[in-house]
Amino acid sequence: MPGTAHAVTSLSRRTLLRGAGACLAFPAIAGCTDPLAGAAGIRVLRTPGDGIVPSARFGPGDLLHVVYLEDRNVQHVTSADRGKGFSAPVRVNDRPSFASGGLFRGPELALGDDGSTHVIWYSRAWELSTDRAEQGPMYARAAPGAPFLPSRNVGKEPADGLSIAMQGDQVAIVWHNGDALKLLRSDDAGRSFGAAAVLDALPCECCDTSLHLRRNGAALVVYRDRLDDHRDMFMASLEADPARGSKVRLDTESWILKGCPISGNGAAFSDDSAVVAWEHDGRILMSRVGLADLRVSAPRTLGSGRYPLVLGNADSVLVAWNEGKELVWRRYEAASLRQRDQGSVRRTTTHRAGAAVAPDGEFVLVV
């Protein structure tokens, strides 16, 4: 935010970590915040309970929703005061202890304009059953103020890299099975889904995706490909008509690797562009993609680490990623991507964090 850059960058990393430790030393405080860790315009919250791999979104009425994995269950909480306090957790998965996650894998959250809640997650079928049809993305939805409806397996095949997005009454879910990248759509707010569309890709076996739905119905998918062991990042644009689509390579240098790097990526979308961050051979790269023509800016190296998150508001872009048990962040001007300030916060885990943008533009990091 204006006027904060010099003050924040004058703080040493040691000072920032001391401030973060005051919050993380009290795990029983569900909504502990730490102003030193984020400076003006950035709020840092601890995941409630012993939760990991959180996903966060703001819904109507400035209500913060968070889902996370705890004891093999997906829990959902809300906060009306930006994390000072959370509601009692509600289990999303109707079959007890039937969720899994870690690293970049965790529940993913989308919210409808009416406040409806839509969650996808990884089941434990892969370790509990030899029937591959029992595997796949799990999905559940809840109307505003209502309990979650029974869970549904919407893929019925081995699945990784799960992402979900909403636009109006449209819900989209993307995953890959190691051989194909698939996109599933609903036009009635998740009550029913059509057949999955198969995208033109050879997805990296165990890497994450990002997904966004545009107002014109196009789905934008960020994923890692593995053709000939070139582990390159792409953005694909799939129109509402599955026969139409295009894609663009984000990497300018191939990462040639025999095995999957189990990597993450993040993206923030506006009406005309996206800022994408991804892993490349231990580094975090960032580019801007113009959505009219899928023109990609030259990738910029931000640092070293894993599981990047990207948030955007009208003024700024925030990129955060893991460096061991630190969540490191950089804030950039939205128009120029010139760096404004930076910081870090100590964590208790090396799994990915969560993030959300409040209606007033405040960035919220959930660690």
Side-chain angles (χ1 to χ4, degrees):
M1 296 295 133
T4 64
H6 296 298
V8 174
T9 53
S10 67
L11 294 172
S12 68
R13 174 170 290 188
R14 185 182 301 271
T15 301
L16 290 167
L17 293 179
R18 281 203 301 267
C23 179
L24 299 184
F26 299 100
I29 302 175
C32 183
T33 62
D34 176 20
L36 278 182
I42 302 174
R43 182 181 299 257
V44 179
L45 307 177
R46 185 181 177 87
T47 305
D50 294 319
I52 61 171
V53 285
S55 178
R57 295 285 186 274
F58 278 90
D62 201 15
L63 188 66
L64 175 63
H65 295 249
V66 182
V67 292
Y68 55 91
L69 185 68
E70 184 178 26
D71 294 331
R72 295 181 173 178
N73 291 303
V74 177
Q75 303 288 359
H76 172 250
V77 295
T78 59
S79 175
D81 52 16
R82 304 225 176 157
K84 293 179 182 177
F86 283 104
S87 64
V90 173
R91 194 179 76 212
V92 178
N93 49 297
D94 54 355
R95 179 176 172 180
S97 302
F98 196 57
S100 66
L103 303 177
F104 69 77
R105 301 179 183 94
E108 299 284 348
L109 172 67
L111 298 177
D113 295 337
D114 62 352
S116 59
T117 309
H118 305 256
V119 185
I120 58 171
W121 67 94
Y122 298 78
S123 79
R124 295 181 59 216
W126 61 274
E127 59 178 317
L128 297 176
S129 173
T130 58
D131 186 352
R132 292 167 65 88
E134 291 188 7
Q135 301 179 38
M138 300 299 297
Y139 167 78
R141 61 186 293 271
F148 280 93
L149 296 174
S151 309
R152 285 181 275 165
N153 183 338
V154 294
K156 297 184 178 180
E157 66 174 1
D160 210 343
L162 313 184
S163 290
I164 187 170
M166 285 198 73
Q167 183 67 244
D169 284 338
Q170 289 196 52
V171 181
I173 299 171
V174 70
W175 72 90
H176 58 76
N177 61 13
D179 295 314
L181 186 65
K182 296 189 175 183
L183 179 72
L184 193 66
R185 290 182 184 265
S186 168
D187 293 325
D188 55 8
R191 294 175 180 84
S192 63
F193 288 88
V198 179
L199 308 190
D200 178 20
L202 183 62
C204 200
E205 302 97 319
C206 304
C207 286
D208 204 6
T209 65
S210 293
L211 175 64
H212 175 73
L213 282 179
R214 302 190 71 189
R215 290 188 177 91
N216 64 3
L220 299 172
V221 184
V222 180
Y223 72 97
R224 186 180 297 282
D225 206 274
R226 63 180 173 93
L227 183 64
D228 298 326
D229 289 325
H230 288 240
R231 309 283 170 162
D232 295 337
M233 295 300 299
F234 284 81
M235 177 183 286
S237 175
L238 188 71
E239 306 298 327
D241 177 359
R244 300 177 58 191
S246 57
K247 64 180 180 179
V248 62
R249 180 171 171 249
L250 305 183
D251 282 300
T252 54
E253 297 180 1
S254 286
W255 184 8
I256 301 176
L257 192 65
K258 290 294 183 183
C260 179
I262 313 179
S263 70
N265 67 74
F269 295 85
S270 65
D271 288 341
D272 58 2
S273 69
V275 176
V276 184
W278 68 96
E279 301 175 41
H280 183 105
D281 197 12
R283 295 174 289 148
I284 302 296
L285 304 185
M286 176 180 73
S287 283
R288 191 196 299 274
V289 182
L291 300 185
D293 54 6
L294 295 187
R295 185 182 298 272
V296 183
S297 68
R300 179 191 309 184
T301 299
L302 306 187
S304 61
R306 308 207 70 186
Y307 314 139
L309 305 167
V310 187
L311 299 173
N313 60 29
D315 181 66
S316 304
V317 172
L318 185 79
V319 184
W321 64 90
N322 287 7
E323 287 187 8
K325 288 189 176 181
E326 292 180 43
L327 186 70
V328 177
W329 57 264
R330 304 281 186 270
R331 182 161 45 183
Y332 302 88
E333 293 181 353
S336 65
L337 291 185
R338 183 176 67 88
Q339 184 174 317
R340 282 182 165 171
D341 52 12
Q342 63 184 48
S344 64
V345 59
R346 187 171 54 205
R347 306 178 64 209
T348 60
T349 176
T350 58
H351 305 298
R352 70 148 171 83
V357 183
D360 63 2
E362 182 180 46
F363 296 125
V364 175
L365 299 173
V366 185
V367 302

